[in-house]
Amino acid sequence: MTTTTTQQTSASAPHEERRGAIELRGVRKMYGNIAAVDDLDLSVEPGEFVTLLGPSGSGKTTTMMMVAGFEELTSGTVLIDGEPVDRLPPKDRNLGVVFQSYALFPHMSAAENVGFPLRMRGVQRGERRGRAEEALARVGLAGLGDRRPRQMSGGQQQRVALARALVFNPAALLLDEPMAALDKRLREQMQDEVKTLQQSLGISVLFVTHDQDEAMSMSDRIVVMRDGRIVQEGAPEDVYAHPRTDWVANFLGDTNLLPCTVLERKDGEAVVDLGAWGVGRVRDRGAKGDAYAVSIRPEHLRFVDADRCENRGSGRVLSSTGLGATIRHRLHVGGQDVVMRELGTGSRATGGLDSEVTVGWSPEEAQLLVLEP
Amino acid sequence: MRPARPRHVSSLIASVPVFVFLVVPTLIVLPVAFTGSRYITFPPQQLSTEAVTGFFRDQAWMSALSASLQAAGVAVVIAVLLGGTAAVALHGRTFPGKAAITGLLLAPMIVPAVVLALAFYQFFISVGMVGTVLPIGLAHAVLAVPYAFLTVRASLAGLNPALVRSASSLGAGAFSVMRFVYLPVIRPGLVAGALFAFSVSIDETVIALFLQSPNATTLPVKMFTDIQYNLTPKIAVSSAMLVTVATLGLLVQVCFTIRRRSVARLLPLTAPEQTG
């Protein structure tokens, strides 16, 4: 491009105020009669890492594509830094998008790929090259600018895509399952690097994944989606510890669900009748429904003495499997099978298969939740 | 594949006469073009380049050649532009009426040439476009659009749709998306489409015959009319030229296909994983 540049990119202008707020208000997307996304309210604060987590078909990718401008909203509005962007085409939204397939231009070198958004903004060749190399160095690809995408590994291609999405200082970063194609070890490494990069740049991220471990390890906030709606949102530990429904509890990790009737609820605690497990106290967030259960994570069950614990059940051991750092016990307690995870390599409390055991939990670690119909 | 050998050999033997039957009559024009005689004769009595040089010195033949090239030029440019943009526009979209539009674009391949010729003849007379090469070129463009459309559509089949979205999210407008995403992918398709359009136009006779005028007589039309009055070997020269052009076009096409296949082999969809 030989045209002279008149447009200065926002990258070089010193923007001190925090930007990158994304807000969705009453967003709905209909495909025929089916609502892919239904009446969704969502906000990403400047510098926040928010993950849309859900199974396929939950509307998480559609939601992100509406933010990026690739899907039109049936109703509702999307705001970036307080400005409605519904009429802006994707090219003017100033968002860095990384696709699952990386979508690198195959006929361009890595540096040309990274320089592309700068070229579209009228940055001249020399400066472009410098800033592209800089961005590549930031993702650990210094000196590989002349490689073509097909000469690079999947992990390297992903870094190029990341550098390309960041080089023009976008308002926010949208990541659509960017790790799905990587093997486990590389995926974990990339998760750490993306998180570190995001924190050092202070950039807002809207992340889409169906992988709960990925969501747990990277996010400031998780938004769990199902059938186009938000089922629950909150900090990763909070959503994990206090699932609102049995579906969320099962989707985010393993859990034991004990059906119960609520006897009394007040001050964030409920007294519940667990049938064969007796009457116990559990954590309560006030969720209302037709049927209730108590969720206890396998790692929160422990072997107790029969009369030393308020919340407990007795039964026998079905199996014990060593998993290295932990042991997984399958127990039959109070008429139902439960799973328990115990730290350590040698079990202290069981006398082997079919032995009688008593397990208990503390009220802070058991959550009252709604059974979805 | 060892046991299949004998069948390979027998099918090879069977295909030789078919090949000879198909190709040899066409190749007869080559020696005839180099005859020393004043009439088309086969086998040629003595060899000479007289007919060839005579062909290139003959004003009438040269203007026919020029008319053919002009018509083909018009046809190639229009067919590639229309067919190419239509293929890009229809790529990756689904909407009611898409099948109808595709059918309309491909229709000229199916409609009998003589029907098209009559229609073009009446149309161009009614709008007063007669006596130049332009209407012939336009008519040939209609014939050639399906070829350009199909070759470009085929080259788009391997395009990752995320590339288009990716480009626009990075700030590319429609023009830049066309230039940086579509063009590199469809370039082989455009070249192939142009070659097809050229060969469709250069040997098309029926429409050119209907639309001919003293200033717009294409090579095949001149050959057809001349052969009724005199049997000059210049007709064979011109045939030999058309055969050569067609063969070259075919060879270029084959080269492109081979190169694209080998590139496709080098370009697996997911690169082998290495430690990042």
Side-chain angles (χ1 to χ4, degrees):
Chain A
M1 263 197 193
T2 51
T3 48
T4 40
T5 46
T6 47
Q7 180 197 358
Q8 188 71 317
T9 50
S10 55
S12 43
H15 261 294
E16 282 310 314
E17 89 265 29
R18 304 257 281 162
R19 55 195 193 93
I22 301 172
E23 197 182 343
L24 284 77
R25 288 188 195 153
V27 166
R28 184 189 301 258
K29 175 73 189 179
M30 305 290 293
Y31 290 115
N33 288 329
I34 297 154
V37 174
D38 201 358
D39 200 25
L40 192 94
D41 291 303
L42 173 72
S43 70
V44 180
E45 303 301 325
E48 193 182 17
F49 194 121
V50 175
T51 296
L52 296 178
L53 174 67
S56 57
S58 60
K60 56 191 194 304
T61 295
T62 308
T63 303
M64 206 193 84
M65 290 302 155
M66 287 192 286
V67 175
F70 298 127
E71 296 280 357
E72 276 184 39
L73 283 66
T74 307
S75 62
T77 185
V78 175
L79 301 99
I80 296 172
D81 287 324
E83 298 286 329
V85 294
D86 303 315
R87 290 175 175 281
L88 279 185
K91 76 180 179 78
D92 296 327
R93 295 200 180 189
N94 202 36
L95 297 168
V97 187
V98 177
F99 294 85
Q100 188 172 346
S101 60
Y102 315 140
L104 298 178
F105 305 121
H107 56 284
M108 293 185 196
S109 69
E112 284 167 343
N113 263 288
V114 177
F116 184 79
L118 302 175
R119 185 174 186 177
M120 292 299 108
R121 286 161 175 75
V123 177
Q124 283 196 317
R125 188 187 294 268
E127 188 192 342
R128 220 157 63 205
R129 178 81 200 186
R131 282 173 62 183
E133 289 294 351
E134 217 173 276
L136 282 170
R138 202 158 52 196
V139 295
L141 291 179
L144 296 184
D146 290 328
R147 295 258 182 103
R148 297 268 161 159
R150 66 167 176 272
Q151 298 169 315
M152 307 181 100
S153 70
Q156 289 172 329
Q157 290 185 37
Q158 159 151 78
R159 287 157 204 256
V160 175
L162 202 58
R164 187 177 66 172
L166 285 169
V167 72
F168 58 102
N169 280 31
L173 203 53
L174 309 182
L175 306 174
D176 181 18
E177 309 226 11
M179 327 268 186
L182 304 180
D183 65 47
K184 190 174 185 300
R185 199 165 53 86
L186 191 56
R187 190 159 63 223
E188 284 169 2
Q189 187 189 339
M190 284 308 294
Q191 287 167 9
D192 289 346
E193 287 185 26
V194 168
K195 183 68 186 166
T196 312
L197 196 60
Q198 182 257 338
Q199 282 171 335
S200 71
L201 295 172
I203 191 170
S204 325
V205 172
L206 186 61
F207 189 88
V208 164
T209 186
H210 63 267
D211 184 326
Q212 37 127 342
D213 294 332
E214 203 164 274
M216 294 291 294
S217 67
M218 298 177 80
S219 323
D220 296 321
R221 190 151 53 92
I222 289 181
V223 176
V224 186
M225 288 187 71
R226 185 192 184 190
D227 297 338
R229 290 171 179 277
I230 295 176
V231 223
Q232 187 169 358
E233 60 179 294
E237 321 77 59
D238 186 67
V239 177
Y240 183 79
H242 308 293
R244 211 178 58 80
T245 71
D246 57 333
W247 187 84
V248 176
N250 275 321
F251 190 68
L252 271 175
D254 303 323
T255 197
N256 297 300
L257 291 169
L258 313 175
C260 67
T261 47
V262 179
L263 301 176
E264 189 191 344
R265 337 170 59 160
K266 68 168 188 206
D267 302 335
E269 245 188 24
V271 179
V272 293
D273 184 353
L274 291 160
W277 289 65
V279 173
R281 284 191 305 123
V282 293
R283 182 72 68 94
D284 180 21
R285 284 284 178 98
K288 293 274 194 295
D290 295 328
Y292 295 93
V294 169
S295 157
I296 307 169
R297 300 286 182 191
E299 65 270 26
H300 291 150
L301 279 175
R302 57 188 66 95
F303 295 117
V304 294
D305 292 334
D307 45 2
R308 292 259 305 273
C309 186
E310 183 187 359
N311 307 295
R312 63 175 189 267
S314 293
R316 55 197 174 77
V317 180
L318 297 178
S319 71
S320 296
T321 316
L323 298 171
T326 58
I327 305 167
R328 194 182 63 200
H329 302 288
R330 276 181 54 239
L331 313 170
H332 190 81
V333 177
Q336 84 177 87
D337 288 0
V338 293
V339 177
M340 172 180 159
R341 203 157 37 232
E342 190 186 15
L343 261 163
T345 47
S347 180
R348 294 168 304 252
T350 70
L353 289 189
D354 244 6
S355 57
E356 292 287 326
V357 289
T358 301
V359 289
W361 73 91
S362 70
E364 301 81 52
E365 289 170 342
Q367 175 68 35
L368 180 70
L369 50 69
V370 173
L371 283 174
E372 286 195 13
Chain B
M1 294 288 264
R2 278 284 150 82
R5 256 295 149 73
R7 273 181 62 205
H8 272 280
V9 172
S10 63
S11 64
L12 198 70
I13 291 168
S15 65
V16 167
V18 177
F19 184 76
V20 169
F21 171 75
L22 287 174
V23 171
V24 168
T26 316
L27 292 181
I28 278 181
V29 300
L30 290 172
V32 173
F34 291 97
T35 184
S37 147
R38 292 184 55 209
Y39 303 100
I40 290 181
T41 42
F42 186 83
Q45 303 304 314
Q46 72 261 49
L47 287 178
S48 150
T49 56
E50 199 181 304
V52 179
T53 50
F55 174 85
F56 285 102
R57 280 205 207 98
D58 190 321
Q59 194 64 45
W61 281 103
M62 280 301 99
S63 84
L65 179 61
S66 147
S68 270
L69 291 177
Q70 284 175 43
V74 171
V76 165
V77 169
I78 293 178
V80 165
L81 279 179
L82 282 185
T85 48
V88 169
L90 292 179
H91 176 249
R93 292 208 176 92
T94 43
F95 55 90
K98 182 180 174 178
I101 292 175
T102 309
L104 198 66
L105 282 163
L106 297 179
M109 293 178 96
I110 304 152
V111 180
V114 71
V115 174
L116 274 178
L118 188 62
F120 281 126
Y121 178 71
Q122 287 177 325
F123 171 76
F124 284 122
I125 287 206
S126 70
V127 298
M129 268 176 82
V130 279
T132 67
V133 185
L134 187 63
I136 300 176
L138 291 176
H140 286 177
V142 172
L143 279 187
V145 160
Y147 295 92
F149 173 72
L150 287 177
T151 53
V152 173
R153 190 172 75 166
S155 64
L156 278 171
L159 178 71
N160 176 1
L163 281 181
V164 178
R165 292 186 157 189
S166 165
S168 37
S169 79
L170 295 168
F175 182 79
S176 295
V177 169
M178 190 71 192
R179 180 173 161 203
F180 294 107
V181 179
Y182 282 116
L183 205 55
V185 175
I186 65 175
R187 195 170 284 138
L190 287 175
V191 172
L195 282 172
F196 274 124
F198 185 80
S199 53
V200 163
S201 170
I202 207 80
D203 77 359
E204 198 288 324
T205 317
V206 182
I207 294 173
L209 195 60
F210 271 67
L211 299 179
Q212 70 159 320
S213 67
N215 295 324
T217 305
T218 61
L219 216 46
V221 173
K222 170 115 175 103
M223 288 162 65
F224 179 71
T225 46
D226 268 31
I227 206 157
Q228 300 172 62
Y229 309 115
N230 65 41
L231 288 171
T232 165
K234 288 170 188 170
I235 292 172
V237 173
S238 133
S239 310
M241 216 163 61
L242 290 182
V243 169
T244 313
V245 166
T247 312
L248 283 180
L250 201 67
L251 282 178
V252 173
Q253 176 66 34
V254 167
C255 290
F256 260 98
T257 319
I258 290 172
R259 215 191 67 178
R260 271 190 61 200
R261 288 228 185 99
S262 60
V263 167
R265 261 202 301 273
L266 291 173
L267 251 176
L269 271 176
T270 45
E273 201 61 54
Q274 297 158 17
T275 314

